[in-house]
Amino acid sequence: MRISVNGKHLQIEAGERLVDVLNRSGAAIPQVCYHPQLGPIQTCDTCMVEVDGKLARACGTLATDGINVVTSSPRAGAAQREAFDRILSNHLLYCTVCDNSNGNCTVHNTTALLAIEHQEIPYQPKPYEVDLSNPFYRYDPDQCILCGRCVEACQNLQVNETLTINWEDPHPRVLWDGGAEIGESSCVSCGHCVTVCPCNALMEKSMLGEAGYFTSLPKAALDGMIDLVKGIEPEVGYDPIMKVSEVECAMRDSHTKRTKTVCTYCGVGCSYDIWTKGRHILKVEPEHGPANGVSTCIKGKFGWDYVNSPDRLTKPLIREGEKFREATWDEALNLVAHKFREIKAEHGPDALAFISSSKCTNEESYLMQKLARAVIGTNNMDNCSRYCQAPATTGLWRTVGYGGDSGSISDIEQASLVVIIGSNAAENHPVLATRVKRAHKLHGQKLIVSDLRKNEMAERADLFLRPRAGTDLFWLSAVTKYIFDNGLANQAFLDKWVNGVAEYRESLAPFTLEAASQRCGLPMETLATVARMIAEAPSVCILWAMGVTQHLMGSDTSTAISNLLLVTGNYMRPGTGAYPLRGHNNVQGASDHGAMPNFFPGYQKVDDPDIRAKFEKAWKVTLPAKPGLDNHLMIDAIHDGRLKSMYVFGEEMSLVDSNANYVSDALSKLDFFVMQEIFFSETCRFADVILPASPSLEKEGTFTSTERRIQRLYRAMDPLGESRPDWEIILDIANRLGANWSYNHPSKIYEEIAPLTPLMAGVTYERLEGYKSLQWPVAEDGTDQPLLYTKEFKFPDGKAKLFPVPWSEPSNQQDGEYDLHLNNGRLLEHFHEGNMTYRTEGIKSKTPCTFVEVSPELATERGIESGSWVQLTSPYGKVRAQAVVTARVHGKELYMPMNSVEEPVNRLTSSYTDKITHTPAYKETSVHLKLLGQNGQNPLPRTNSRFGHPTPQKGVEVERKWKRKDYSLPGNGLVQIKTGQQQT
Ligand code: SF4
Ligand code: SF4
Ligand code: SF4
Ligand code: FES
């Protein structure tokens, strides 16, 4: 198909928007409200062109075969200028003193593109105040051009549904919750709206007074300059005024640095440019991230103050009695090397253990495991995937072969049915959840959620199941049996691609709907509906997280999920597959790169002699053959006196491991304990030496997200004080122990990893440059696999396996004394215990402390109100917290988020674990609740988004603008022409 543009022929693809074709062709047309990731909003009318002789909005028109387009005819040009004139009536052009004038302001650039000299319609201020009530951004109605990008982003991309425009009002503006202050609305501070705003109406507060050379002038001086510009504009026109602004804008480049980085919080893998001026973070600008585009959540967009926190560790510390003293690097590293050598000589290499950080880079995990194995000679090496994801990995290894998400976020987006089990995705994987919310809202995707809590995804679901705690395996198996028994299995897929069908089907005999209904507390009809929805959906993705894995049967339930997908043929195609959502930004990468007791990088077994020989040859050492201790067994080994020394980096072990009192006791017994951290964490209290490390913004390397996506991060600023990147510290320790390593950059480390690791064979820094990424497995020629199993499963015969999993009861059932079930997890605003996020004041103001969610029925029974102080006691410890009474929890279920260092929920959790992986059964905790007093305020302040009242609508609803009496289509009042269907 082709079209004619200004007399030239252009090839087009079916379904392309005309504006995209024109942009591709290089025809410069204005387009103020259009953003490719939002789709056509059609509010600004600046993209008017002639199509077959009639005026049309290029953004709202589909390019169809044979059309004749003219972009700069007098009619089109007049219409474009008329439309833009209306925009300028809503916006004061004071670019030289505007913090948004950084070369990417759409209003500024369109003024230049259209060579606007004078405004026809004068600027008209709106009768509203600037709203500064959100801690992170401001809204200035006087600068708002009513393009609606923010509304579209909030309604249809983030799908928080906070923003609208009151088109019928004499003075329309953007509204939060229909007219609330921003700070008291449902806004979750994800920043989507701020990111897509084409001008300075919505701006990060961290930019204000900082971005420009003159923008920090006192308000009176600024107002004077603005008045001066207004005064001379009628005389001289905009051209010289814009030229001055462009000179000032160019000068800003000398103090503003834009660095691509990858988010350091969750496993979604958002990437973005971070703008810095020295150490001041001006803003986070997402746009090109392969996982996130313009999307972020509150943590990625605004949670960076910790980097400049005054309590960053900046010097090595050495314990002296009960205190620590500052030391030089030489002294601290020599002491570490000396003690490691001494302990190894006295007790053998297995008296030492190493824990790698899921917050740090792949290269750092690789070096840590190499230090443990090649320098010390032990496989006592682990990372925190043991606390969360190991059971999911096991379930996938058993059934399909690779221990990672079977596709990409784009597959989840295009699935016709998404099933979420035991995952609070909207809070824990916020950007990934937006893709489900969007597909569900706009594209007819169906959603089933199974959870103990009625979280946001459950609120949105077509079907919400609330099974009894710890019974997911039972209902999943019953649904699978029902599918078999009712002829709903995908027999052709099973015949061709799956082994073990008959044996597996036989193993399902106990899992009748009746039995499942009784054990799980779910109606049989509901289970049958779930089975039919899954079996009949053209494509299904199942997402799960800690609600599944942190149980005695975490591995088996993960296996049951994969079994169900196999029985219904939901692998090997786009829009299908298994998605265990990885928690930390690099928990996938830490395991991938060998920070495990039984695997070298790429899941190559340490007890396989051929594999070991390969690494021995490369590293020129003899390596230990026996798998080492995992982090659960390490704690037992300290208590038993077998383990004498540990080296932990970037891991708050004493709070995040289960049964925290038992773990803390163990850490206090170590002969020699090295912590490498950015803050003096709780775990540091037990250390003998503390080494100050650098966070992600101060170093280079790669992270691997939940999609198996490997991405590069670049250094945005130098390490603070004497802190150093973790890889440099590990290297220095190794060399003091005689390793003779010579890496001078993380890329050199990857040059060693790739040839040793078939899974990463083709990974190079060049192939990951900028926003490029690779999703493992990566072949030597650089071919990666965004969707796994397109040709076969990862078993010798290429077939998957159905793996029978029997039922066993959860560990910790309620009884007379411990009569309530306690669930726990993260909060949207904080990451885990909050070591990083509490250092952002705005986050702290929204969620200052932890709390316990209590159901309305339990609250009535026990006389509890929001704000009441309660004490929770389990067989392992006690915590105090204030109650929040909410219907998110039900009956005798309690929920406690993890965001507390003082009262960590893990004082209550046990040492029971998943039997295969030793992942703690965090979610199997029974407690006793004692009411301590009523005299507290609600621990969630009124400014928390959970108190807001969203205003869902289909988007910006531009048709309401078009119905206004004072609206006419620009271009001499021509009749509104029919445009293509909105493409979103
Ligand atoms: S939730 Fe808040 S920050 Fe996010 S897009 Fe909506 S209004 Fe903006
Ligand atoms: S605040 Fe919203 S409507 Fe106003 S200019 Fe910015 S994106 Fe457009
Ligand atoms: S969704 Fe996750 S990766 Fe993305 S910005 Fe938020 S915390 Fe970072
Ligand atoms: S770009 Fe705004 S209407 Fe097309």
Side-chain angles (χ1 to χ4, degrees):
M1 295 198 296
R2 50 188 211 160
I3 63 173
S4 157
V5 176
N6 299 330
K8 263 173 56 188
H9 290 299
L10 286 178
Q11 297 291 332
I12 57 161
E13 302 285 330
E16 268 195 287
R17 295 172 200 140
L18 182 54
V19 68
D20 291 334
V21 177
L22 296 177
N23 288 340
R24 187 154 51 75
S25 78
I29 58 156
Q31 45 199 293
V32 172
C33 73
Y34 182 64
H35 189 297
Q37 292 180 44
L38 299 175
I41 304 171
Q42 304 190 84
T43 51
C44 78
D45 295 338
T46 59
C47 64
M48 302 300 282
V49 293
E50 282 195 63
V51 178
D52 293 339
K54 290 182 182 161
L55 282 177
R57 298 183 188 93
C59 67
T61 304
L62 291 180
T64 49
D65 196 20
I67 57 171
N68 186 15
V69 183
V70 183
T71 63
S72 51
S73 65
R75 276 174 86 209
Q80 291 166 5
R81 276 190 294 279
E82 185 184 339
F84 193 64
D85 212 60
R86 295 177 191 175
I87 283 174
L88 290 183
S89 73
N90 277 305
H91 185 95
L92 255 188
L93 281 176
Y94 54 67
C95 310
T96 312
V97 290
C98 173
D99 284 301
N100 197 51
S101 180
N102 301 294
N104 60 346
C105 174
T106 307
V107 175
H108 178 109
N109 295 348
T110 309
T111 308
L113 175 70
L114 290 173
I116 300 292
E117 277 298 320
H118 296 288
Q119 250 173 278
E120 296 295 324
I121 315 172
Y123 165 71
Q124 294 150 347
K126 301 182 189 73
Y128 310 113
E129 295 297 312
V130 177
D131 191 333
L132 293 160
S133 60
N134 180 286
F136 307 110
Y137 69 90
R138 71 106 196 257
Y139 173 59
D140 183 350
D142 276 346
Q143 292 297 94
C144 173
I145 59 171
L146 299 168
C147 69
R149 276 194 194 183
C150 56
V151 177
E152 192 71 15
C154 186
Q155 289 284 345
N156 287 350
L157 187 55
Q158 157 67 17
V159 199
N160 206 58
E161 301 171 321
T162 300
L163 298 185
T164 53
I165 292 178
N166 49 348
W167 290 117
E168 292 77 15
D169 195 276
H171 303 284
R173 57 160 285 171
V174 177
L175 298 174
W176 277 251
D177 286 1
E181 269 207 328
I182 303 175
E184 299 215 340
S185 73
S186 60
C187 168
V188 291
S189 303
C190 65
H192 281 77
C193 54
V194 188
T195 294
V196 299
C197 180
C199 62
N200 63 345
L202 280 166
M203 277 196 74
E204 298 84 355
K205 285 184 173 174
S206 48
M207 288 281 279
L208 300 177
E210 293 284 350
Y213 277 88
F214 307 115
T215 56
S216 60
L217 292 175
K219 185 165 182 323
L222 279 181
D223 288 347
M225 286 175 77
I226 293 166
D227 287 343
L228 179 77
V229 172
K230 271 196 295 184
I232 60 170
E233 181 264 319
E235 192 81 12
V236 302
Y238 276 126
D239 186 48
I241 297 171
M242 299 311 262
K243 286 222 161 68
V244 174
S245 151
E246 270 149 31
V247 170
E248 191 271 345
C249 170
M251 282 162 56
R252 294 184 188 191
D253 282 347
S254 65
H255 70 205
T256 305
K257 184 176 165 195
R258 302 172 198 196
T259 312
K260 184 245 174 167
T261 192
V262 183
C263 187
T264 190
Y265 287 109
C266 89
V268 174
C270 298
S271 53
Y272 29 73
D273 277 4
I274 191 145
W275 292 29
T276 48
K277 191 173 94 176
R279 291 196 69 88
H280 176 76
I281 294 168
L282 287 165
K283 70 168 170 175
V284 161
E285 187 189 40
E287 186 175 358
H288 306 294
N292 60 309
V294 295
S295 296
T296 43
C297 76
I298 178 172
K299 299 182 289 295
K301 178 79 180 173
F302 298 116
W304 290 96
D305 289 359
Y306 75 92
V307 174
N308 286 318
S309 168
D311 52 0
R312 275 275 305 276
L313 290 170
T314 54
K315 281 182 188 298
L317 301 173
I318 293 178
R319 174 180 291 280
E320 269 185 0
E322 290 307 299
K323 296 209 168 117
F324 288 89
R325 68 166 170 82
E326 289 183 354
T328 64
W329 271 105
D330 263 344
E331 187 187 7
L333 294 175
N334 284 340
L335 176 62
V336 172
H338 167 73
K339 293 296 282 183
F340 281 178
R341 213 181 269 123
E342 189 178 84
I343 290 166
K344 181 178 166 183
E346 195 174 334
H347 302 284
D350 288 339
L352 292 103
F354 298 78
I355 304 268
S356 191
S357 174
S358 296
K359 284 260 161 282
C360 293
T361 64
N362 290 326
E363 293 75 3
E364 289 164 340
S365 273
Y366 175 83
L367 283 198
M368 191 66 158
Q369 60 87 41
K370 187 174 174 185
L371 169 69
R373 296 188 161 115
V375 182
I376 301 293
T378 181
N379 282 316
N380 292 343
M381 174 76 240
D382 211 355
N383 75 89
C384 77
S385 69
R386 181 85 38 213
Y387 300 149
C388 56
Q389 284 302 334
T393 305
T394 300
L396 297 175
W397 279 337
R398 283 169 166 179
T399 51
V400 285
Y402 280 121
D405 288 7
S406 42
S408 304
I409 294 170
S410 57
D411 288 291
I412 299 172
E413 210 170 342
Q414 63 187 282
S416 40
L417 170 66
V418 167
V419 183
I420 304 180
I421 307 173
S423 160
N424 183 5
E427 299 204 44
N428 291 334
H429 299 87
V431 166
L432 185 146
T434 65
R435 302 321 195 233
V436 178
K437 293 195 281 181
R438 176 176 166 89
H440 187 253
K441 179 173 180 178
L442 301 181
H443 303 310
Q445 184 177 74
K446 294 283 177 235
L447 177 62
I448 298 175
V449 171
S450 169
D451 208 286
L452 301 183
R453 276 172 91 227
K454 197 162 195 192
N455 57 38
E456 185 189 338
M457 300 312 276
E459 294 273 3
R460 291 179 178 275
D462 299 288
L463 192 57
F464 170 44
L465 316 177
R466 210 170 214 167
R468 289 201 185 101
T471 63
D472 289 323
L473 185 146
F474 212 117
W475 73 258
L476 281 160
S477 301
V479 160
T480 314
K481 176 174 163 53
Y482 181 92
I483 287 171
F484 268 125
D485 293 351
N486 289 277
L488 298 168
N490 187 333
Q491 203 54 50
F493 183 86
L494 290 171
D495 290 345
K496 187 164 180 203
W497 288 112
V498 186
N499 289 321
V501 179
E503 189 196 345
Y504 175 63
R505 193 170 171 184
E506 223 167 273
S507 78
L508 291 175
F511 298 103
T512 60
L513 284 197
E514 293 85 341
S517 175
Q518 272 191 356
R519 186 62 196 88
C520 310
L522 298 169
M524 281 166 54
E525 308 76 64
T526 306
L527 293 172
T529 306
V530 172
R532 290 201 172 272
M533 282 176 76
I534 293 175
E536 287 162 11
S539 57
V540 180
C541 289
I542 303 187
L543 285 46
W544 74 101
M546 314 299 112
V548 167
T549 59
Q550 292 177 338
H551 283 280
L552 225 61
M553 286 176 296
S555 292
D556 287 350
T557 308
S558 301
T559 309
I561 290 172
S562 190
N563 285 338
L564 173 57
L565 287 164
L566 285 171
V567 168
T568 51
N570 278 300
Y571 275 112
M572 307 186 99
R573 286 176 291 127
T576 65
Y579 297 83
L581 304 181
R582 306 307 194 185
H584 281 274
N585 59 316
N586 201 37
V587 70
Q588 180 72 53
S591 296
D592 295 345
H593 292 80
M596 296 187 84
N598 48 345
F599 293 119
F600 289 115
Y603 306 98
Q604 301 175 83
K605 292 181 176 165
V606 295
D607 52 6
D608 179 324
D610 294 339
I611 300 286
R612 218 170 42 252
K614 175 172 76 170
F615 281 90
E616 285 177 339
K617 188 168 167 218
W619 293 346
K620 301 185 181 62
V621 290
T622 305
L623 291 167
K626 197 169 76 84
L629 300 173
D630 59 43
N631 48 21
H632 175 73
L633 295 175
M634 286 175 198
I635 297 301
D636 288 342
I638 302 171
H639 279 294
D640 295 350
R642 285 175 287 136
L643 193 60
K644 305 289 182 191
S645 178
M646 279 180 96
Y647 176 11
V648 176
F649 76 109
E651 174 74 32
E652 181 63 298
M653 211 173 163
S654 73
L655 298 182
V656 301
D657 198 352
S658 196
N659 199 352
N661 289 333
Y662 180 71
V663 174
S664 296
D665 268 3
L667 297 178
S668 66
K669 288 180 182 164
L670 284 166
D671 287 357
F672 185 65
F673 183 21
V674 182
M675 273 298 293
Q676 193 163 298
E677 256 303 350
I678 56 173
F679 297 113
F680 192 95
S681 65
E682 278 298 290
T683 312
C684 284
R685 291 192 300 120
F686 303 100
D688 295 290
V689 176
I690 300 169
L691 304 172
S694 301
S696 60
L697 291 189
E698 297 174 1
K699 61 187 171 192
E700 298 215 8
T702 58
F703 289 153
T704 307
S705 70
T706 192
E707 302 177 287
R708 300 168 279 106
R709 188 186 294 282
I710 310 164
Q711 304 184 86
R712 267 180 81 174
L713 47 142
Y714 294 81
R715 181 188 274 208
M717 54 184 75
D718 290 337
L720 186 69
E722 292 181 27
S723 68
R724 300 173 68 194
D726 294 84
W727 68 270
E728 288 185 19
I729 306 173
I730 300 166
L731 178 142
D732 220 335
I733 290 175
N735 282 345
R736 276 162 212 257
L737 290 164
N740 201 20
W741 294 350
S742 58
Y743 318 102
N744 57 9
H745 187 265
S747 60
K748 298 292 170 204
I749 304 172
Y750 225 102
E751 281 171 17
E752 180 175 307
I753 298 170
L756 283 169
T757 313
L759 201 62
M760 316 294 174
V763 176
T764 65
Y765 267 45
E766 290 70 36
R767 287 183 176 141
L768 296 174
E769 207 178 325
Y771 280 90
K772 288 191 277 186
S773 66
L774 293 165
Q775 288 171 273
W776 65 246
V778 185
E780 225 173 313
D781 65 0
T783 313
D784 68 345
Q785 292 191 31
L787 179 64
L788 295 176
Y789 318 121
T790 50
K791 297 194 177 75
E792 60 173 15
F793 289 96
K794 177 84 172 48
F795 288 113
D797 64 357
K799 288 188 167 191
K801 286 182 200 162
L802 282 169
F803 191 102
V805 278
W807 164 253
S808 58
E809 291 292 329
S811 60
N812 208 345
Q813 315 252 353
Q814 292 73 63
D815 59 20
E817 188 179 359
Y818 303 109
D819 60 334
L820 304 174
H821 179 258
L822 177 69
N823 191 5
N824 62 75
R826 294 208 306 258
L827 273 184
L828 171 69
E829 297 90 338
H830 285 290
F831 200 86
H832 277 290
E833 73 293 329
N835 275 350
M836 297 192 293
T837 43
Y838 271 117
R839 286 171 164 95
T840 293
E841 278 304 319
I843 292 182
K844 199 168 157 188
S845 73
K846 294 266 178 194
T847 34
C849 55
T850 191
F851 49 87
V852 184
E853 288 185 352
V854 178
S855 70
E857 48 278 27
L858 187 67
T860 308
E861 183 194 310
R862 308 272 170 107
I864 299 167
E865 292 167 9
S866 286
S868 300
W869 281 97
V870 297
Q871 177 176 278
L872 303 181
T873 311
S874 82
Y876 313 98
K878 290 183 178 139
V879 298
R880 284 170 85 247
Q882 285 176 283
V884 169
V885 178
T886 167
R888 282 190 290 273
V889 286
H890 171 74
K892 292 190 162 189
E893 283 292 329
L894 302 172
Y895 180 83
M896 188 168 172
M898 299 166 70
N899 58 317
S900 179
V901 171
E902 297 79 22
E903 299 289 336
V905 68
N906 285 323
R907 276 198 208 131
L908 302 171
T909 50
S910 73
S911 292
Y912 286 99
T913 66
D914 172 59
K915 50 188 185 274
I916 315 291
T917 60
H918 291 161
T919 295
Y922 293 93
K923 302 294 193 277
E924 296 181 4
T925 303
S926 298
V927 293
H928 171 77
L929 181 148
K930 184 174 160 200
L931 179 60
L932 298 175
Q934 297 289 9
N935 50 353
Q937 296 235 312
N938 192 323
L940 279 175
R942 174 62 196 90
T943 54
N944 189 280
S945 60
R946 290 164 184 80
F947 294 110
H949 300 284
T951 45
Q953 60 181 39
K954 281 285 179 205
V956 72
E957 296 187 347
V958 66
E959 298 79 6
R960 287 166 47 209
K961 171 181 173 175
W962 294 342
K963 281 189 193 143
R964 283 177 67 102
K965 290 220 163 43
D966 57 0
Y967 176 79
S968 63
L969 195 71
N972 304 325
L974 284 169
V975 184
Q976 168 91 36
I977 63 157
K978 200 168 165 2
T979 57
Q981 209 192 352
Q982 277 211 23
Q983 299 293 298
T984 47

